Amino acid sequence: MFSRFVSSPRSSLTPRQALKLTNFYLENACNVDDIDIVLVLCRDIDTSLYQAKKGIKRTEDQHLVKEIAIAYIDLGNLLEKHGHVNEAKVRYKKAGKLGMNVQDPGRLTNTSHISSNVGSFEESYPITRNCMGSDSVRSLLPRRTEQHRSIATIPAHIFVENVRPPGIEYRLPESDKRINSTPQLAACLSLLQHNRSPDEIMEPVAQNWLQATEKDPDEQERLRTMATEVVRAFKRDEIKDPKVVAEVVYLAPVLDKDTFQDLLSEFYSGIDHSGLLKVHQIDGLAKLIQNADHEYLDADDMVKILALFSNRLRDTHQQSSHHMHQLALAVSHVLDAMADTKVKDLDREKLHEPLSSYLSELKNSPDPYLVYQAAYAFQALLWVPDNETAWQAAKRRTEKVIQGISGVVSAVHGLNLYKFIEALKYIQRGVAGAPRVIATVINYYNRLDTLAESGRELLESLKEGFSFERKRDWYSALRGADILIRDGELATFKKLICEVPCRQDPAFQWGVCQRLGEIAANPMWNADIRHNAIEFLGDMYRNDDVWGGQPTVKQWILNILMQLSSLSRTEPQHTTTAETLLKGLESCGDDQKQALYRECREKGPIPYPLKITQPELPSPSLLDRVQNRPDVEGHIGIVRKRYTRKKRSVVYIPPQAKASIQAADGTRYPLMEKVKEFLDSDQKVFLLLGDSGSGKSTFNKELEYELWQSYKSKAGRIPLYINLPAIDKPEHDMITKQLRGSGFTGPQIREMKHHRKFILICDGYDETQQTHNLYMSNRLNQTGEWDAQMVISCRTEYLGTDYRDRFQPGDRNQRSNSSLFQESVLTPFSPDQVQDYVKQYVILHQPLWSVDDYTRALELVPSLKDLVKNPFLMTLTLEVLPRMVEPGRHLSETRVTRVGLYDHFVEQWLERGKKRIGEKDLSPQVRSVFENLSDEGFALNGIEYVKKLSVAIYKEQDGQPIVEYSRLIDKKSWKAEFFNGEDKQLLRESCPLSRNGSQHQFIHRSLLEYGLSRAIFDPQDKRTKSASNSTASRRKSIDSAWSFEIKSGSEERATPLDQEPDIDSPLVWRNFVADHSLLQFLEERVQQEPVFKAQLLAYIEYSKKDKKWRQAAANAITILVRAGVQFIEADLQGIRIPGADISYGVFDSANLRNADLRKVDLRGVWFRQADLSGAQMTGVQFGELPYLTDETQMRTCAYTPDGNFLVVGLSDGHINMYSTSNWELVQKLAGHSLEISRTAISPEGDRLASSSHDCTVRIWDMDTGSQIHVLEHTSVINGVAYSPQGNLVASCCDDKTVLLWDAATGDCRRLLSEHTREVLTVAFSPSGTQIASSSVDSTIRLWSVETGMCSHILSGHREAVWGIVYSPRGDQMASCSEDTTVRLWDVESGVCRHILTGHVSVLLTVVYSPNGDQVASGGEDSTVRLWDVDTGTCIRTMAGHSEGIVGIAYSPKGGQLASGSFDNTLRLWDVSTCSTRFVSDCHGTSGVRTIKCSPKGDLIASGGKDRTIRLWDVGTGTCRRTLIAHASIVLCISYSPHGDLIASGGEGPVRLWRVASGENQHTLTGHTSWVLGVTFSPEGDTVASVSEDCTVRLWDAKTGDCRKVLTGHAYGVISVVYEPDGKQIATGSKDQTVRIWDVETGECCKILIGHTRFVRAVVYSPQGDQLTSVGQDTTIRFWDVSTGECRFILTDHTDQVWGAAYSANGKLLASGSSDQTLRLWDTSTAECRAVVENFPDLVWSVSWSVSTDDNYLVTGCHDGSVLKWEVIDEEDQYHLKLQWSVTNGALTMTGASIQEVRGLTTLDRQLLKQRGAIGEPRSLLRDSSKQLIARPSGVLGLKEI
């Protein structure tokens, strides 16, 4: 190479050497854009050409003269390109003197280059291949004119013509015949894929085969499937020896894209996971990529593979050259493919530069073969763009220029040519980016001009010639040569080699020799071509004038010939040709060349064998395995026909679904579309949830039908419907069991297991009583197991909190990644779906009713619309509704319940069955049996049969719904009682049962549960019917919840049942606490049948005496609590109810002394003043732990990584550390002077960082409690975070900055400052490479930790963002804001994925669960909410704090959640499980700000902080309707006089609502601030409202127009009330006054002064003569309306009074206060007549019944509870009796006695004490003014009145 001649003085160079030096300079000049460098190089070119011209005077080589002339033309082109036209003309003239006249010197090509010409080559061969098209080949070198070409000559007989590419002829198979070899299969598929041009000629045999096969889709599918199966067989092969690798690679070009990529992935995994370097697999992968359709090569996959090779290259660096050569060769093939497919964005830092570095290191190898392969790979790499921007590249090149200058200087002083060459290289690449250093370069360059004359070795020159630093044209030339050889264009190949200007480049020659050797070694080429290739090699060895004299190239030629001469003896002619040539070369050349020859012959061939293509593969082991398979397609076809016949006559409405149980129904989507999206994805499990009867099975059958309809033979996925209850132990091999049941043989099943894919439709998971994860237990999609996607259905109520663990693929640690799992929940029918169902039903069944009849009934029958939203209940309703409606009775008077529908449906089914059997031709014996059954009552016998069969199924089969009966096997079993005998056969045929062979089951699971519920209680049972009628006649309301209370005096007492409860009842022998569908039937029975309620109470009563009743008692009390029965003052002493679920039940003042409450679910129970003394409470579940308290507010909390400690930051600047084993305080850290804002614990758990408002961050030693560093800011610090690596601490503060600190030294490393307001919090990503900050400016910014650059700004929140947190995987982020929302963001894109709404106030903290599937949030509304990350729905709300929540933390294992609050407590919540029941529909803990009783006496309305108005049933406390009222808190409501309208106020306008429909009738806009009070006029035509804007407005209730605006108050007006005659209104204000206004004139009549603080409420007495006001000053004032004088001032309340209400007769006034009491006052004497104490929270609102007939009042509290009180007047003595309460779901123990309770843990006792439990019970009422009497317990025994 060039070191051979640049190491000598230029004057000693031969003309050809001088010309080579010229070309070297020209090539470098063409790669430089800077004109100064170009001119320097041009001067060197002139000097070298001068030397060459001097030399030609001594020779007559005209060819050399022509080349020198061409060089002058190239130099002229170069100068003209850079604007030096005159200089260019001088060079053109010199070329002319040498015989080369330039016709048009002013025309330059875009790619002018010294070695850039293909000339006649491109004219003779217009190549059009997709691998490297004609443009690519032509661009090897730019065009020049004919006379300017430099063309080498070789013997004319070599490669005379283009030929057909080599190939093996295979006999094409007949249709459906065995394929003999893998190449034969490849040939078939190649013909099918080949796109032929119209004029293309194909051999007749191939043409005929192709025409026949194109008409046979099944044959095409068979061939494609076979190729796919070969790939699958390869994947299953554990050894993967070279034979199977070669076999599967042969198929690569004909595979479909998915199969190819699957194969590619298998190769990748095999190499990646192998500890040994398997060269044959690496070579196979390289060939796979090299031979593939480039459209199949995914850029990401190739980058991934290249990274693998890069790592292997690094790991193999110290191993043998042979291994390195194989790896470099593989890298070359991958890079070739990447260059062809234009892969972009290769990461320079992660892959491009390391790979460049590894390859560059190989150039120092003494092995030239390895150097060549590395150089080739490097050239390929240069054609693959990296991700470096132009700016970055310029910067990097500038740095290289500076390094280059340094190298130049070093070269000057040290005479180091290598450094000079490296420096020159950097200058060439980097000069464009650094013009300021050019002058320096030029100054030194002149001094270096002669330094290149010192000596260099040939190998060093060779390495430089191979070019590791920039693109060389020899690489492109070799890529073009490969295409020509592949396509048999050998004549064109020869022309390319001879004419390409880089032909003398050693790298190009090396590659040409290698390709010629492979042609000669390939037996698939004919003999002449192989001889030609050998002769070509001989010419390149001999002809030094044409090909140069590079020793390494000559050595490579000799090595190739020696390899060819040593080939197999089966090819002696080629061995002889090579050997003969070798002998002839022995005497070729001078002494030096002959010495080189002798040395090579003595060493023998080197260990780099040529690639030799075998004409035939070894035995196709993979193909043989694939073809030796049993036929399954025929049997599949039979099954398909069975399921694609005409569907049965059922009504099918495409169901809608939502993303989760908690998601709103409004977010629904078409379920079938969602399932098909799932089936088209890579997900594996689709969980379909729904209530009983919601249509899961119907949908599954429809899905099966549609999948069979679209099934494609052989390659299609097989739909397999599995009725899980019908499979014995489906947790093991359920697919095999199902297929056996469908008639498939063992070999067929094994064949399908290994070669087919399935779609499993698993129906009825809940009916199997399963707890297994069927996906995991059946090992689906594991190696060697079934390849399947699963759609599995389950009833919603069957699941607990962690139900996903039963369905998600992967072990528990992997299931946090839900990418393989999806779920949907069936939603109730929409009105449109109901209407469509009715229409289809009428068309299909032609019932007596028309569509209009059903539509009218659905509109008028109460509650019917809600029932028919369930598809199965819809079916039942349409079936039985005509029968349920009594003739002549108005539809609105018809009551329909779920259990009533089932009653009528079963009876009607039996009647139809009876009729059908009666019409049959029965034998005399059977006819006699039928008549006997009819005489006894056929329907009654049928119901008994249903009841007994249901009981037997539960008792004998544990509820497994399918009964398999065989007459012979089960003759003596329990089954014979139901399936043996004529009478049983008749009853079975008439009952709602279905039969499939020997399997019998109810037509719907819910009918089994109905049958069991009717066995537990049958309203038609003769033993109970009379009692039921008697009881009903004695009671006004059969739905009353207080049936176990007694009346005093002469009132009738409850009498016990005449006998013990039924010992055979299923309630006695089975626990049904978790059987929700059954419990639903029984709940309705309780509400309808007082006798059943009495029976259940009897079980509880009898459990006191004998433990044999304890199971029945546990079931009974669970049913009663679910039915809404409240056990207020109930005598439950000694009851035994272990395992019961009484969550959210009300047991105020109940006597539970010595009760057995083991393992009872007590979540959210109200035990106020209950007596639990001596109760056994082992294993009870409260759902929370005791809270921690301190004298100051909690500000932040965090668990240590090991979960052993909890750190709490306080408002006084201290930090407490608690042990989580006993929750004792173990350490208190003192140092901060102001409140703690955040704490962060290092990943190792040994360091704690705390930030404070004292402007410091302190780092503490967790073991010693000592301070390690104090990091100071200039302003308040709001947040701190530790990096995951523990080396950095980040802090943020009010000065709008984020600081990064070195955790070890305390030094500040970086400042981030782009926020425009105070920065509130900061968080590190899990990788530690990114940091996020949030601010008062409402944005979140994501920063690079390394560079400090802001990569994303997340915008969307409207207010300050108080909390941010990364998900554990780092792909998502959660934020919470003052705008009351939580947002979930995609970190990479910055897109907001979910907006979580539900909180009603400012949010201050948010945190991810450890597995990332949940987010917890908290804020000023005092609640913690848990959200599902995937769906964005709220799955739980936890109440208990009385003030805002400022910090939340999950325990490391995720089972516990800590929340810190302004209320000085830190609460600990159990989030690992939750109750099977949910808290009742209430305001939660948001608080009830206002409450009013309806004038109709049927409803109670309440408004709260949760933005809703809720309407409660007066009798039961059930929520009848919820109105989403305002954007924020509802502060005031008022009923119209007739009770048909409600007015409400709060944030925004006044709203008027229709009570019946919930419709918003009017929106009254006018107030400019919060509306604090509303009221209707006595006539109902006017609404008065008052506001914070200091005004009173009067509105027309019909039109919504504002009639008057009254002004006068100095501050906000809080309350308003109409005088009973409607002429005046009174208002109370923050200005401490009460004003009375004339409605007609709008003038203020009186101003009542006396209160010293806000006036909270004003109320008129019913007579209108007295006005009462209550205030923030704790007083109640009675005013004389006529005089304005204050008659009484009541001061018994100890805190502000919020509300007051007069009784209907005006004798009493009720008041509620912040002192947590309700007081009754005598309005005539101002005497307090009764006090209710110990409310769980302040009493915000109070309202009295309007009617004098019903004397009750209701209260609304700050904790969200609503309570109804009966006011009892006995001889002028008043008592308040709690009738019902709507709880907020929080455990309440106020005044409950837990003395001598057994089984409670220490933490449980602490929890109950915190909730208000005491050692001795206290009375709910206390004596006031000595006029209250103590009322005895309301329950002497559990007896029904």
Side-chain angles (χ1 to χ4, degrees), residues 1408-1656:
Y1408 270 94
S1409 63
N1411 63 7
D1413 62 344
Q1414 292 180 358
V1415 163
S1417 59
E1420 292 186 358
D1421 66 1
S1422 308
T1423 66
V1424 177
R1425 289 179 179 257
L1426 304 186
W1427 310 85
D1428 185 285
V1429 168
D1430 292 333
T1431 64
T1433 53
C1434 181
I1435 57 179
R1436 187 174 174 188
T1437 301
M1438 294 176 289
H1441 285 292
S1442 60
E1443 293 189 39
I1445 296 169
V1446 71
I1448 297 176
Y1450 271 98
S1451 63
K1453 293 183 179 179
Q1456 198 175 86
L1457 185 76
S1459 60
S1461 169
F1462 295 133
D1463 63 8
N1464 296 12
T1465 69
L1466 186 132
R1467 292 184 180 262
L1468 304 170
W1469 311 92
D1470 181 0
V1471 293
S1472 59
T1473 60
C1474 73
S1475 172
T1476 55
R1477 296 183 61 228
F1478 296 102
V1479 65
S1480 59
D1481 189 8
C1482 66
H1483 292 284
T1485 59
S1486 298
V1488 179
R1489 285 299 304 266
T1490 178
I1491 196 164
K1492 287 291 186 291
C1493 295
S1494 169
K1496 293 183 177 180
D1498 58 341
L1499 295 173
I1500 296 166
S1502 62
K1505 289 177 67 177
D1506 64 350
R1507 300 177 288 186
T1508 68
I1509 298 171
R1510 297 177 186 265
L1511 306 182
W1512 311 93
D1513 185 281
V1514 167
T1516 64
T1518 304
C1519 183
R1520 296 302 185 195
R1521 190 182 298 280
T1522 300
L1523 310 178
I1524 307 300
H1526 293 270
S1528 186
I1529 183 172
V1530 179
L1531 293 172
C1532 50
I1533 55 176
S1534 177
Y1535 269 103
S1536 64
H1538 301 293
D1540 57 338
L1541 295 177
I1542 289 177
S1544 64
E1547 183 180 11
V1550 177
R1551 297 181 183 271
L1552 301 186
W1553 308 86
R1554 289 195 177 277
V1555 174
S1557 64
E1559 176 189 359
N1560 184 192
Q1561 177 173 291
H1562 285 303
T1563 300
L1564 314 181
T1565 304
H1567 286 294
T1568 59
S1569 188
W1570 291 71
V1571 177
L1572 305 180
V1574 291
T1575 187
F1576 274 92
S1577 65
E1579 294 79 14
D1581 59 342
T1582 305
V1583 174
S1585 62
V1586 296
S1587 167
E1588 187 72 46
D1589 65 8
C1590 307
T1591 67
V1592 182
R1593 289 179 178 263
L1594 305 182
W1595 312 84
D1596 188 300
K1598 292 183 179 180
T1599 66
D1601 296 334
C1602 182
R1603 294 177 173 175
K1604 285 188 177 66
V1605 179
L1606 314 182
T1607 59
H1609 282 292
Y1611 296 104
V1613 190
I1614 298 177
S1615 62
V1616 61
V1617 62
Y1618 263 94
E1619 186 185 22
D1621 63 8
K1623 296 180 180 180
Q1624 292 182 339
I1625 58 173
T1627 57
S1629 170
K1630 290 184 177 181
D1631 64 8
Q1632 305 174 13
T1633 68
V1634 176
R1635 289 177 179 252
I1636 300 176
W1637 311 79
D1638 184 286
V1639 171
E1640 184 68 27
T1641 64
E1643 295 179 356
C1644 179
C1645 304
K1646 294 184 179 68
I1647 300 177
L1648 311 181
I1649 299 175
H1651 285 286
T1652 57
R1653 299 186 68 183
F1654 296 173
V1655 178
R1656 288 290 184 190

Side-chain angles (χ1 to χ4, degrees), residues 687-873:
L687 173 60
L688 176 59
L689 298 174
D691 295 335
S692 176
S694 59
K696 300 181 295 297
S697 296
T698 304
F699 172 80
N700 285 339
K701 285 292 187 182
E702 181 69 20
L703 175 62
E704 179 195 32
Y705 174 81
E706 291 197 14
L707 291 176
W708 275 121
Q709 286 281 71
S710 60
Y711 172 76
K712 296 180 180 178
S713 62
K714 301 181 183 179
R717 293 176 294 177
I718 302 171
L720 188 63
Y721 178 88
I722 302 177
N723 186 11
L724 291 175
I727 301 294
D728 181 37
K729 296 181 180 179
E731 63 270 22
H732 300 301
D733 216 9
M734 66 177 177
I735 301 178
T736 298
K737 295 172 183 176
Q738 180 67 29
L739 291 174
R740 282 176 184 161
S742 299
F744 288 93
T745 65
Q748 288 175 325
I749 293 173
R750 286 192 294 274
E751 166 69 15
M752 288 189 287
K753 183 174 185 178
H754 294 299
H755 300 285
R756 302 304 298 271
K757 295 182 178 181
F758 283 81
I759 299 172
L760 306 181
I761 307 170
C762 301
D763 194 30
Y765 177 86
D766 53 285
E767 298 180 32
T768 64
Q769 309 297 314
Q770 278 288 329
T771 58
H772 293 89
N773 184 319
L774 296 184
Y775 183 92
M776 297 303 299
S777 65
N778 282 275
R779 297 176 56 81
L780 299 183
N781 298 305
Q782 297 186 30
T783 304
E785 300 295 337
W786 296 96
D787 188 338
Q789 288 178 287
M790 175 189 286
V791 177
I792 184 168
S793 64
C794 181
R795 286 195 292 182
T796 309
E797 60 266 26
Y798 182 72
L799 304 175
T801 307
D802 298 326
Y803 65 90
R804 290 176 182 168
D805 288 342
R806 301 190 194 179
F807 303 101
Q808 280 187 341
D811 59 36
R812 295 183 67 90
N813 294 327
Q814 294 173 334
R815 286 179 204 153
S816 62
N817 185 354
S818 58
S819 60
L820 300 178
F821 174 77
Q822 187 178 158
E823 68 178 295
S824 285
V825 181
L826 283 164
T827 57
F829 273 168
S830 66
D832 289 341
Q833 287 177 303
V834 169
Q835 194 65 24
D836 289 344
Y837 195 103
V838 171
K839 291 177 181 177
Q840 287 192 34
Y841 179 86
V842 171
I843 293 172
L844 188 63
H845 297 286
Q846 298 182 352
L848 295 176
W849 277 18
S850 66
V851 173
D852 291 339
D853 293 332
Y854 281 115
T855 303
R856 187 164 53 255
L858 292 174
E859 288 292 333
L860 297 178
V861 175
S863 303
L864 191 57
K865 278 187 176 181
D866 292 331
L867 283 173
V868 298
K869 291 179 179 179
N870 179 291
F872 186 70
L873 290 181

